[in-house]
Amino acid sequence: MKIGFVGKLKGPQVNLFLLSLQGLGAAGLVHSQSSAVELARSSIMAAAAGLAAPPPTSRISSFPRAFSTVLKDLKYADTHEWVKVEGDSATIGVTDHAQDHLGDVVYVELPEVGSTVSQGTNFGAVESVKATSDINAPVSGEIIQVNDELSEKPGFINGSPYEKGWIIKVKISDPSELNSLMDDEKYKKFCEEEDGKH
């Protein structure tokens, strides 16, 4: 089959075209020369327009995504924050379900130690490649510690949401507020129902 437009290409465009065809063949992503040529042509047009062409082997995985992790012995808010209670203090972070929907976290806005938070109100924000989302306090109290490591390593929220990705620790001012939060089983069901609406 003759490909008429190849002779008009120069330098990087020819390389891109050849790599596209090669990658497609190796990955088994096309079943005919015409579909390979069509994808290569799209890649070249993207390059000519100054856009980054996607690698030819990149595809959305056909494997089902694993369910988000929900830990026992934690309490959960309907805004997808978790609480770990130890005596009269609580460690707070965002859940695995939340970070999964956010995508790669690139910045975390942290509050000041000594400030107070109220249940249901926001005390910071998480910025990801997709969006910026408020972080809400699942319980009220005084902030006694902040995870400063998140300033340099915001990705901890993605990679270790329940351990290295914790956000603040508070001294609980009203323990009865914990009764309004969900346990792990209720939170799992809540996430399933919420995802089912989308």
Short mmCIF file of all heavy atoms in Angstrom, two decimals, residues 63-114:
data_model
loop_
_atom_site.label_atom_id
_atom_site.label_comp_id
_atom_site.label_asym_id
_atom_site.label_seq_id
_atom_site.Cartn_x
_atom_site.Cartn_y
_atom_site.Cartn_z
N PHE A 63 -8.87 -3.92 32.53
CA PHE A 63 -9.05 -4.65 33.77
C PHE A 63 -9.91 -3.83 34.72
O PHE A 63 -9.80 -2.62 34.78
CB PHE A 63 -7.70 -4.93 34.45
CG PHE A 63 -6.85 -5.85 33.64
CD1 PHE A 63 -5.79 -5.36 32.89
CD2 PHE A 63 -7.09 -7.22 33.64
CE1 PHE A 63 -5.00 -6.21 32.14
CE2 PHE A 63 -6.30 -8.08 32.89
CZ PHE A 63 -5.25 -7.58 32.14
N PRO A 64 -10.79 -4.47 35.49
CA PRO A 64 -11.61 -3.72 36.44
C PRO A 64 -10.75 -3.10 37.53
O PRO A 64 -9.79 -3.70 37.98
CB PRO A 64 -12.55 -4.79 37.02
CG PRO A 64 -11.87 -6.10 36.76
CD PRO A 64 -11.05 -5.92 35.51
N ARG A 65 -11.08 -1.84 37.92
CA ARG A 65 -10.31 -1.15 38.95
C ARG A 65 -10.61 -1.77 40.31
O ARG A 65 -11.74 -2.13 40.62
CB ARG A 65 -10.71 0.34 38.97
CG ARG A 65 -9.91 1.17 39.92
CD ARG A 65 -10.31 2.63 39.82
NE ARG A 65 -11.70 2.85 40.18
CZ ARG A 65 -12.14 2.92 41.43
NH1 ARG A 65 -11.31 2.77 42.44
NH2 ARG A 65 -13.41 3.14 41.68
N ALA A 66 -9.56 -1.89 41.11
CA ALA A 66 -9.74 -2.47 42.44
C ALA A 66 -10.59 -1.53 43.30
O ALA A 66 -10.57 -0.32 43.12
CB ALA A 66 -8.38 -2.69 43.09
N PHE A 67 -11.33 -2.11 44.24
CA PHE A 67 -12.12 -1.29 45.15
C PHE A 67 -11.20 -0.51 46.07
O PHE A 67 -10.12 -0.96 46.43
CB PHE A 67 -13.06 -2.17 45.98
CG PHE A 67 -14.19 -2.74 45.17
CD1 PHE A 67 -14.23 -4.08 44.86
CD2 PHE A 67 -15.22 -1.92 44.72
CE1 PHE A 67 -15.27 -4.62 44.11
CE2 PHE A 67 -16.26 -2.44 43.98
CZ PHE A 67 -16.29 -3.78 43.67
N SER A 68 -11.63 0.68 46.47
CA SER A 68 -10.86 1.51 47.39
C SER A 68 -10.76 0.82 48.75
O SER A 68 -11.65 0.09 49.16
CB SER A 68 -11.52 2.87 47.55
OG SER A 68 -11.61 3.53 46.31
N THR A 69 -9.65 1.09 49.42
CA THR A 69 -9.44 0.50 50.74
C THR A 69 -10.20 1.29 51.79
O THR A 69 -10.13 2.52 51.83
CB THR A 69 -7.93 0.52 51.09
OG1 THR A 69 -7.22 -0.20 50.09
CG2 THR A 69 -7.67 -0.10 52.44
N VAL A 70 -10.91 0.57 52.64
CA VAL A 70 -11.61 1.16 53.78
C VAL A 70 -11.14 0.41 55.02
O VAL A 70 -11.31 -0.81 55.11
CB VAL A 70 -13.14 1.07 53.63
CG1 VAL A 70 -13.83 1.64 54.87
CG2 VAL A 70 -13.62 1.78 52.38
N LEU A 71 -10.51 1.12 55.95
CA LEU A 71 -9.96 0.46 57.13
C LEU A 71 -10.97 0.37 58.26
O LEU A 71 -11.79 1.27 58.46
CB LEU A 71 -8.73 1.23 57.63
CG LEU A 71 -7.55 1.36 56.67
CD1 LEU A 71 -6.39 2.06 57.37
CD2 LEU A 71 -7.10 0.01 56.13
N LYS A 72 -10.89 -0.74 59.00
CA LYS A 72 -11.70 -0.87 60.20
C LYS A 72 -11.12 0.03 61.29
O LYS A 72 -9.99 0.49 61.19
CB LYS A 72 -11.70 -2.33 60.67
CG LYS A 72 -12.44 -3.28 59.73
CD LYS A 72 -12.45 -4.68 60.30
CE LYS A 72 -13.23 -5.63 59.38
NZ LYS A 72 -13.27 -7.00 59.91
N ASP A 73 -11.89 0.24 62.33
CA ASP A 73 -11.46 1.04 63.49
C ASP A 73 -11.26 2.52 63.18
O ASP A 73 -10.67 3.24 63.97
CB ASP A 73 -10.17 0.46 64.11
CG ASP A 73 -10.33 -0.99 64.51
OD1 ASP A 73 -11.43 -1.36 64.98
OD2 ASP A 73 -9.38 -1.76 64.34
N LEU A 74 -11.72 2.96 62.02
CA LEU A 74 -11.72 4.39 61.71
C LEU A 74 -13.17 4.83 61.58
O LEU A 74 -14.07 4.04 61.34
CB LEU A 74 -10.98 4.68 60.40
CG LEU A 74 -9.50 4.32 60.31
CD1 LEU A 74 -8.95 4.73 58.95
CD2 LEU A 74 -8.69 4.97 61.43
N LYS A 75 -13.39 6.14 61.72
CA LYS A 75 -14.70 6.73 61.48
C LYS A 75 -14.61 7.54 60.18
O LYS A 75 -13.54 8.07 59.84
CB LYS A 75 -15.10 7.66 62.64
CG LYS A 75 -15.35 6.91 63.95
CD LYS A 75 -16.67 6.15 63.91
CE LYS A 75 -17.06 5.63 65.28
NZ LYS A 75 -18.36 4.95 65.24
N TYR A 76 -15.73 7.64 59.48
CA TYR A 76 -15.73 8.29 58.17
C TYR A 76 -16.84 9.32 58.05
O TYR A 76 -17.96 9.09 58.49
CB TYR A 76 -15.90 7.24 57.07
CG TYR A 76 -14.78 6.22 57.04
CD1 TYR A 76 -14.87 5.04 57.79
CD2 TYR A 76 -13.63 6.43 56.28
CE1 TYR A 76 -13.84 4.11 57.77
CE2 TYR A 76 -12.60 5.51 56.27
CZ TYR A 76 -12.71 4.35 57.01
OH TYR A 76 -11.69 3.44 57.00
N ALA A 77 -16.52 10.44 57.40
CA ALA A 77 -17.52 11.48 57.14
C ALA A 77 -18.05 11.31 55.72
O ALA A 77 -17.38 10.74 54.85
CB ALA A 77 -16.87 12.87 57.28
N ASP A 78 -19.25 11.85 55.47
CA ASP A 78 -19.83 11.72 54.13
C ASP A 78 -19.14 12.62 53.11
O ASP A 78 -19.46 12.58 51.92
CB ASP A 78 -21.34 11.96 54.15
CG ASP A 78 -21.71 13.35 54.65
OD1 ASP A 78 -20.81 14.19 54.86
OD2 ASP A 78 -22.92 13.59 54.86
N THR A 79 -18.17 13.43 53.58
CA THR A 79 -17.37 14.24 52.67
C THR A 79 -16.01 13.57 52.41
O THR A 79 -15.09 14.19 51.90
CB THR A 79 -17.17 15.66 53.24
OG1 THR A 79 -16.77 15.56 54.62
CG2 THR A 79 -18.45 16.46 53.14
N HIS A 80 -15.89 12.31 52.82
CA HIS A 80 -14.74 11.45 52.52
C HIS A 80 -13.46 11.80 53.28
O HIS A 80 -12.36 11.68 52.75
CB HIS A 80 -14.48 11.40 51.00
CG HIS A 80 -15.66 10.90 50.23
ND1 HIS A 80 -16.06 9.59 50.24
CD2 HIS A 80 -16.58 11.58 49.47
CE1 HIS A 80 -17.16 9.46 49.49
NE2 HIS A 80 -17.49 10.65 49.02
N GLU A 81 -13.64 12.19 54.55
CA GLU A 81 -12.50 12.29 55.46
C GLU A 81 -12.59 11.14 56.46
O GLU A 81 -13.68 10.68 56.77
CB GLU A 81 -12.49 13.62 56.22
CG GLU A 81 -12.20 14.85 55.36
CD GLU A 81 -13.44 15.39 54.68
OE1 GLU A 81 -14.57 15.03 55.09
OE2 GLU A 81 -13.30 16.15 53.70
N TRP A 82 -11.43 10.70 56.94
CA TRP A 82 -11.41 9.65 57.96
C TRP A 82 -10.88 10.22 59.28
O TRP A 82 -10.18 11.23 59.30
CB TRP A 82 -10.56 8.45 57.52
CG TRP A 82 -9.12 8.78 57.17
CD1 TRP A 82 -8.61 9.03 55.93
CD2 TRP A 82 -8.00 8.86 58.07
NE1 TRP A 82 -7.26 9.28 56.00
CE2 TRP A 82 -6.86 9.18 57.30
CE3 TRP A 82 -7.86 8.71 59.45
CZ2 TRP A 82 -5.58 9.33 57.86
CZ3 TRP A 82 -6.59 8.87 60.02
CH2 TRP A 82 -5.48 9.18 59.22
N VAL A 83 -11.24 9.53 60.37
CA VAL A 83 -10.81 9.95 61.71
C VAL A 83 -10.30 8.72 62.46
O VAL A 83 -10.99 7.70 62.51
CB VAL A 83 -11.99 10.56 62.52
CG1 VAL A 83 -11.51 11.01 63.89
CG2 VAL A 83 -12.64 11.69 61.77
N LYS A 84 -9.12 8.86 63.02
CA LYS A 84 -8.59 7.82 63.91
C LYS A 84 -8.51 8.42 65.30
O LYS A 84 -7.76 9.38 65.53
CB LYS A 84 -7.21 7.36 63.44
CG LYS A 84 -6.62 6.25 64.30
CD LYS A 84 -5.26 5.82 63.78
CE LYS A 84 -4.70 4.70 64.63
NZ LYS A 84 -3.35 4.27 64.16
N VAL A 85 -9.29 7.86 66.23
CA VAL A 85 -9.37 8.41 67.59
C VAL A 85 -8.37 7.69 68.50
O VAL A 85 -8.31 6.46 68.53
CB VAL A 85 -10.79 8.27 68.15
CG1 VAL A 85 -10.86 8.82 69.57
CG2 VAL A 85 -11.80 8.98 67.25
N GLU A 86 -7.59 8.49 69.22
CA GLU A 86 -6.64 7.97 70.21
C GLU A 86 -6.77 8.83 71.46
O GLU A 86 -6.25 9.95 71.50
CB GLU A 86 -5.21 8.01 69.67
CG GLU A 86 -5.01 7.12 68.45
CD GLU A 86 -3.65 7.31 67.78
OE1 GLU A 86 -3.39 8.42 67.29
OE2 GLU A 86 -2.88 6.34 67.76
N GLY A 87 -7.51 8.31 72.45
CA GLY A 87 -7.77 9.09 73.66
C GLY A 87 -8.65 10.28 73.33
O GLY A 87 -9.72 10.13 72.75
N ASP A 88 -8.16 11.49 73.66
CA ASP A 88 -8.96 12.69 73.36
C ASP A 88 -8.47 13.41 72.11
O ASP A 88 -8.85 14.55 71.84
CB ASP A 88 -8.94 13.65 74.57
CG ASP A 88 -7.55 14.19 74.87
OD1 ASP A 88 -6.56 13.69 74.28
OD2 ASP A 88 -7.44 15.13 75.70
N SER A 89 -7.62 12.75 71.33
CA SER A 89 -7.15 13.35 70.08
C SER A 89 -7.58 12.53 68.87
O SER A 89 -7.89 11.34 69.00
CB SER A 89 -5.63 13.50 70.09
OG SER A 89 -5.00 12.25 70.02
N ALA A 90 -7.62 13.16 67.73
CA ALA A 90 -8.04 12.50 66.50
C ALA A 90 -7.10 12.88 65.36
O ALA A 90 -6.77 14.05 65.18
CB ALA A 90 -9.46 12.89 66.15
N THR A 91 -6.69 11.87 64.61
CA THR A 91 -5.92 12.10 63.38
C THR A 91 -6.90 12.10 62.23
O THR A 91 -7.80 11.25 62.16
CB THR A 91 -4.86 11.00 63.18
OG1 THR A 91 -4.03 10.92 64.34
CG2 THR A 91 -4.00 11.27 61.96
N ILE A 92 -6.74 13.05 61.31
CA ILE A 92 -7.70 13.24 60.22
C ILE A 92 -6.97 13.25 58.87
O ILE A 92 -5.88 13.81 58.74
CB ILE A 92 -8.46 14.57 60.40
CG1 ILE A 92 -9.29 14.52 61.69
CG2 ILE A 92 -9.34 14.88 59.19
CD1 ILE A 92 -9.85 15.86 62.12
N GLY A 93 -7.59 12.62 57.89
CA GLY A 93 -7.05 12.64 56.52
C GLY A 93 -8.17 12.42 55.53
O GLY A 93 -9.35 12.34 55.91
N VAL A 94 -7.83 12.31 54.25
CA VAL A 94 -8.84 12.01 53.23
C VAL A 94 -8.76 10.52 52.89
O VAL A 94 -7.69 9.92 52.96
CB VAL A 94 -8.69 12.87 51.95
CG1 VAL A 94 -8.89 14.34 52.28
CG2 VAL A 94 -7.36 12.65 51.28
N THR A 95 -9.88 9.95 52.54
CA THR A 95 -9.95 8.51 52.33
C THR A 95 -9.32 8.08 51.01
O THR A 95 -9.09 8.89 50.10
CB THR A 95 -11.42 8.03 52.34
OG1 THR A 95 -12.10 8.60 51.21
CG2 THR A 95 -12.11 8.42 53.63
N ASP A 96 -9.10 6.79 50.91
CA ASP A 96 -8.58 6.20 49.67
C ASP A 96 -9.56 6.44 48.53
O ASP A 96 -9.17 6.72 47.39
CB ASP A 96 -8.34 4.70 49.89
CG ASP A 96 -7.65 4.05 48.70
OD1 ASP A 96 -6.73 4.67 48.13
OD2 ASP A 96 -8.00 2.91 48.36
N HIS A 97 -10.84 6.34 48.83
CA HIS A 97 -11.87 6.60 47.83
C HIS A 97 -11.76 8.02 47.30
O HIS A 97 -11.85 8.26 46.09
CB HIS A 97 -13.25 6.37 48.45
CG HIS A 97 -14.39 6.53 47.50
ND1 HIS A 97 -15.00 7.74 47.25
CD2 HIS A 97 -15.04 5.62 46.70
CE1 HIS A 97 -15.97 7.58 46.37
NE2 HIS A 97 -16.01 6.31 46.02
N ALA A 98 -11.54 8.98 48.20
CA ALA A 98 -11.43 10.39 47.79
C ALA A 98 -10.20 10.62 46.92
O ALA A 98 -10.28 11.27 45.87
CB ALA A 98 -11.37 11.28 49.03
N GLN A 99 -9.04 10.10 47.35
CA GLN A 99 -7.83 10.34 46.58
C GLN A 99 -7.91 9.68 45.20
O GLN A 99 -7.37 10.19 44.23
CB GLN A 99 -6.58 9.89 47.35
CG GLN A 99 -6.34 8.40 47.51
CD GLN A 99 -5.79 7.70 46.28
OE1 GLN A 99 -5.17 8.33 45.43
NE2 GLN A 99 -6.05 6.41 46.16
N ASP A 100 -8.61 8.54 45.13
CA ASP A 100 -8.75 7.86 43.85
C ASP A 100 -9.54 8.71 42.86
O ASP A 100 -9.22 8.78 41.68
CB ASP A 100 -9.44 6.51 44.08
CG ASP A 100 -9.55 5.69 42.81
OD1 ASP A 100 -8.50 5.49 42.17
OD2 ASP A 100 -10.66 5.25 42.45
N HIS A 101 -10.57 9.38 43.36
CA HIS A 101 -11.38 10.24 42.50
C HIS A 101 -10.67 11.56 42.17
O HIS A 101 -10.89 12.13 41.12
CB HIS A 101 -12.74 10.51 43.15
CG HIS A 101 -13.69 9.37 43.02
ND1 HIS A 101 -14.66 9.30 42.05
CD2 HIS A 101 -13.80 8.20 43.72
CE1 HIS A 101 -15.34 8.17 42.16
NE2 HIS A 101 -14.83 7.49 43.17
N LEU A 102 -9.81 12.01 43.08
CA LEU A 102 -9.07 13.25 42.85
C LEU A 102 -8.01 13.12 41.77
O LEU A 102 -7.77 14.02 41.00
CB LEU A 102 -8.38 13.71 44.15
CG LEU A 102 -9.23 14.44 45.17
CD1 LEU A 102 -8.46 14.54 46.49
CD2 LEU A 102 -9.61 15.82 44.67
N GLY A 103 -7.35 11.97 41.73
CA GLY A 103 -6.19 11.82 40.84
C GLY A 103 -4.93 12.28 41.57
O GLY A 103 -4.94 12.46 42.79
N ASP A 104 -3.86 12.47 40.83
CA ASP A 104 -2.57 12.80 41.43
C ASP A 104 -2.62 14.14 42.16
O ASP A 104 -2.89 15.18 41.56
CB ASP A 104 -1.47 12.85 40.37
CG ASP A 104 -1.18 11.48 39.77
OD1 ASP A 104 -1.51 10.47 40.44
OD2 ASP A 104 -0.66 11.41 38.65
N VAL A 105 -2.34 14.09 43.46
CA VAL A 105 -2.36 15.31 44.28
C VAL A 105 -1.04 16.06 44.11
O VAL A 105 0.04 15.47 44.22
CB VAL A 105 -2.59 14.96 45.77
CG1 VAL A 105 -2.47 16.20 46.64
CG2 VAL A 105 -3.97 14.32 45.94
N VAL A 106 -1.13 17.35 43.83
CA VAL A 106 0.06 18.16 43.58
C VAL A 106 0.30 19.23 44.65
O VAL A 106 1.39 19.80 44.74
CB VAL A 106 0.01 18.83 42.18
CG1 VAL A 106 0.04 17.77 41.09
CG2 VAL A 106 -1.23 19.71 42.03
N TYR A 107 -0.71 19.51 45.47
CA TYR A 107 -0.56 20.54 46.50
C TYR A 107 -1.60 20.33 47.60
O TYR A 107 -2.74 19.96 47.32
CB TYR A 107 -0.74 21.94 45.89
CG TYR A 107 -0.70 23.06 46.90
CD1 TYR A 107 0.51 23.47 47.47
CD2 TYR A 107 -1.87 23.71 47.29
CE1 TYR A 107 0.54 24.50 48.41
CE2 TYR A 107 -1.84 24.74 48.22
CZ TYR A 107 -0.64 25.12 48.77
OH TYR A 107 -0.60 26.13 49.70
N VAL A 108 -1.16 20.56 48.85
CA VAL A 108 -2.08 20.47 49.98
C VAL A 108 -2.01 21.77 50.78
O VAL A 108 -0.93 22.19 51.20
CB VAL A 108 -1.74 19.29 50.91
CG1 VAL A 108 -2.75 19.19 52.05
CG2 VAL A 108 -1.69 17.98 50.14
N GLU A 109 -3.15 22.43 50.93
CA GLU A 109 -3.22 23.66 51.75
C GLU A 109 -3.46 23.24 53.19
O GLU A 109 -4.48 22.61 53.51
CB GLU A 109 -4.37 24.54 51.26
CG GLU A 109 -4.55 25.82 52.05
CD GLU A 109 -5.83 26.54 51.65
OE1 GLU A 109 -6.17 26.57 50.45
OE2 GLU A 109 -6.50 27.07 52.57
N LEU A 110 -2.51 23.56 54.06
CA LEU A 110 -2.56 23.12 55.46
C LEU A 110 -2.92 24.28 56.39
O LEU A 110 -2.51 25.41 56.15
CB LEU A 110 -1.21 22.53 55.87
CG LEU A 110 -0.75 21.29 55.10
CD1 LEU A 110 0.71 20.99 55.39
CD2 LEU A 110 -1.63 20.09 55.44
N PRO A 111 -3.64 24.00 57.47
CA PRO A 111 -3.97 25.04 58.45
C PRO A 111 -2.82 25.24 59.44
O PRO A 111 -1.81 24.53 59.38
CB PRO A 111 -5.20 24.45 59.16
CG PRO A 111 -4.96 22.98 59.12
CD PRO A 111 -4.26 22.70 57.82
N GLU A 112 -2.99 26.19 60.34
CA GLU A 112 -1.97 26.48 61.36
C GLU A 112 -2.25 25.69 62.63
O GLU A 112 -3.40 25.51 63.04
CB GLU A 112 -1.98 27.98 61.70
CG GLU A 112 -1.59 28.90 60.54
CD GLU A 112 -0.13 28.80 60.18
OE1 GLU A 112 0.70 28.57 61.08
OE2 GLU A 112 0.19 28.93 58.98
N VAL A 113 -1.17 25.23 63.26
CA VAL A 113 -1.29 24.61 64.57
C VAL A 113 -1.82 25.65 65.55
O VAL A 113 -1.41 26.82 65.52
CB VAL A 113 0.07 24.06 65.05
CG1 VAL A 113 -0.02 23.58 66.50
CG2 VAL A 113 0.53 22.92 64.15
N GLY A 114 -2.75 25.25 66.41
CA GLY A 114 -3.34 26.17 67.38
C GLY A 114 -4.67 26.73 66.95
O GLY A 114 -5.44 27.22 67.78
#
